Amino acid sequence: MSFITAFGDRVFVASGDLIRTFRIGDDEGMTFQPLISWSELNPERIQKPSFEAEKDLKAVDKRVILCLAHSNMIAAHGRRLVAVGTNEKQIHVFEYFIDNNYKIVKAEHIVTSVVPKAPTAIVFDREDAYVVVGDRSGDVHRFSVLNGSAIEMAGAISMILDVAFSPDGKRLLMADRDEKVRAMRYPSTYVIDAYCLGHTEYVKTLAIQDNDTVWSSGGDKNLHMWSITNCSKPRRTIDLSEWEAPVRKISINVAHKKIAVLFEKKDKMIVVDLETDPAATQSVTILNESECLDVTSTGHYFIVLGRSTITVINLLTMLQATFPIDDELNAVLSATKDAVDNLFKNVTHNNQLEYEKRKAEKFEQIEQKRRRLNNQEPSTS
């Protein structure tokens, strides 16, 4: 698993158990800096689970980051927070501090919480007071940044693949493996405003355009735009099937009204221009790269994480600036694997016919056994 996210001109990359950060436009060039060492975790800030299913922390051979998020950093407190979920079934929150030259001078471990199942998606709420986490079992929990306390917010019958907030923070959206996007009021998530039903395969990724507009995509190769308040059908649909691969990630740049789309196991992305109808698409091959793993947006840029490079695409010129990564991160990225390598459902077509066939074969076996036993019985005459 490998991820990239950005806030302002600062970018964060997570892969394996590494978290790296750099600044776009740094006068000294792109310099990768570790955010924190895992040895710096404060044991007193690791919360015990509050649920019965898990009494102890999960023991793993090697820590692997499964999801990554950056805080919104609103003016109320101005904190800069990064959260990751790991295969240990833990959520770690870190705070970092910058100097007048925008350099990170310190990073601290704030809190660690334990989740019931392996996390799959993570996001900060608008006030940065909580992190909201979706997991493999279909549950969504909320964890306090202050003390790590947890409550269950929502549940589904299939794996949660993405979670996101509307810009005003009033709605929480979740996408799942069961072809659905759900819009709930926050924090009163028992009030479901909408089910966005229209995908025919898993919904892998969400992109929020405004308080009433969300984009979604995934296994069916369609990019749908929904009205959260009136989602009886998609407002727009962009067919991406010509690229012959499921969609891995979408990221929206609201200022430029463009969406970046990554596909599974491809070295290229497309940029969708939302101001044209039908939407114009531009294919962008990522130079010196074999596969695109994740994409994020900030300012005038899309930033693409590959297996060996990070590419910054200037949306004003569409020019690429490709940056090599350090040897340690390169080794992890080149070997990275998804936690779930196939999200398509294992559906057997005509399963009723298969059942009838197996039933007939079973009865035939029973009848053959009965005849053999009858032939072995001695005559009673």
Side-chain angles (χ1 to χ4, degrees):
M1 302 292 290
S2 299
F3 308 93
I4 191 167
T5 191
F7 184 85
D9 61 357
R10 183 157 290 279
V11 181
F12 294 85
V13 177
S15 184
D17 65 344
L18 304 179
I19 308 175
R20 295 283 194 268
T21 179
F22 66 90
R23 283 183 61 224
I24 300 174
D26 194 331
D27 294 337
E28 299 177 5
M30 184 182 288
T31 303
F32 288 91
Q33 176 182 358
L35 180 67
I36 197 166
S37 169
W38 292 104
S39 62
E40 298 174 11
L41 293 185
N42 186 342
E44 296 180 357
R45 295 180 178 176
I46 300 177
Q47 306 301 309
K48 293 297 182 181
S50 59
F51 36 84
E52 296 181 359
E54 293 283 341
K55 296 298 183 183
D56 300 309
L57 303 182
K58 182 181 179 181
V60 296
D61 294 332
K62 183 175 178 58
R63 179 186 293 110
V64 176
I65 295 171
L66 302 178
C67 47
L68 167 72
H70 192 283
S71 63
N72 301 296
M73 203 189 74
I74 62 174
H77 48 63
R79 301 180 75 180
R80 296 174 173 86
L81 304 173
V82 173
V84 297
T86 70
N87 60 335
E88 305 160 292
K89 300 181 182 178
Q90 293 182 344
I91 304 300
H92 306 280
V93 181
F94 308 104
E95 181 175 11
Y96 66 94
F97 305 86
I98 62 174
D99 60 19
N100 294 332
N101 295 319
Y102 301 100
K103 304 290 186 182
I104 294 181
V105 294
K106 183 174 65 171
E108 291 183 351
H109 171 224
I110 299 299
V111 71
T112 292
S113 294
V114 182
V115 292
K117 298 294 182 180
T120 54
I122 188 169
V123 66
F124 282 88
D125 70 359
R126 186 174 184 271
E127 286 73 30
D128 298 335
Y130 298 92
V131 287
V132 174
V133 180
D135 66 33
R136 287 193 193 181
S137 67
D139 292 327
V140 175
H141 286 79
R142 184 177 80 168
F143 298 89
S144 169
V145 171
L146 180 62
N147 57 28
S149 61
I151 62 170
E152 186 173 345
M153 299 293 289
I157 61 173
S158 62
M159 187 186 305
I160 305 299
L161 300 180
D162 204 1
V163 288
F165 276 100
S166 58
D168 60 9
K170 294 181 179 180
R171 288 187 176 90
L172 172 65
L173 295 103
M174 49 189 272
D176 63 34
R177 196 177 182 180
D178 235 6
E179 305 102 31
K180 299 188 303 299
V181 178
R182 190 183 316 185
M184 302 164 289
R185 296 185 189 178
Y186 182 81
S188 304
T189 50
Y190 53 84
V191 180
I192 301 175
D193 281 330
Y195 282 101
C196 303
L197 304 176
H199 284 286
T200 58
E201 295 289 351
Y202 64 85
V203 186
K204 177 71 177 295
T205 174
L206 301 172
I208 310 298
Q209 184 170 345
D210 55 47
N211 290 325
D212 188 44
T213 307
V214 57
W215 293 82
S216 61
S217 195
D220 63 5
K221 310 180 187 71
N222 283 321
L223 179 61
H224 287 321
M225 183 183 78
W226 308 90
S227 167
I228 296 173
T229 57
N230 182 18
C231 67
S232 58
K233 62 180 181 179
R235 291 163 60 183
R236 293 180 72 181
T237 294
I238 301 171
D239 183 1
L240 303 174
S241 58
E242 65 177 286
W243 278 272
E244 299 180 343
V247 173
R248 181 179 183 88
K249 179 67 178 291
I250 60 176
S251 179
I252 190 167
N253 188 296
V254 175
H256 288 267
K257 296 183 179 179
K258 298 181 186 295
I259 291 182
V261 182
L262 296 188
F263 299 93
E264 297 287 357
K265 305 186 185 306
K266 296 285 186 179
D267 63 348
K268 63 183 61 179
M269 58 176 267
I270 66 168
V271 176
V272 180
D273 187 347
L274 303 180
E275 292 192 295
T276 60
D277 192 12
T281 61
Q282 179 179 354
S283 178
V284 180
T285 300
I286 304 303
L287 303 176
N288 305 312
E289 191 50 72
S290 62
E291 183 180 352
C292 300
L293 302 174
D294 200 4
V295 60
T296 190
S297 175
T298 185
H300 299 300
Y301 307 101
F302 284 132
I303 310 169
V304 181
L305 175 66
R307 285 196 175 272
S308 59
T309 61
I310 292 176
T311 301
V312 178
I313 300 173
N314 189 320
L315 293 178
L316 298 174
T317 63
M318 294 306 297
L319 295 177
Q320 298 184 35
T322 302
F323 299 90
I325 53 182
D326 63 75
D327 292 342
E328 186 179 21
L329 181 57
N330 183 68
V332 175
L333 284 172
S334 62
T336 188
K337 296 181 179 179
D338 291 338
V340 181
D341 59 3
N342 181 15
L343 292 171
F344 289 101
K345 295 179 180 178
N346 185 19
V347 177
T348 302
H349 295 288
N350 297 324
N351 50 358
Q352 180 65 29
L353 296 177
E354 292 290 331
Y355 166 76
E356 296 292 347
K357 180 181 178 181
R358 291 196 302 270
K359 182 178 178 181
E361 291 173 349
K362 185 66 175 179
F363 279 130
E364 177 62 25
Q365 292 172 2
I366 294 173
E367 179 63 21
Q368 290 176 359
K369 183 177 181 181
R370 185 188 66 80
R371 288 197 295 266
R372 285 197 303 270
L373 290 174
N374 288 341
N375 291 336
Q376 294 174 2
E377 291 180 357
S379 174
T380 58
S381 59

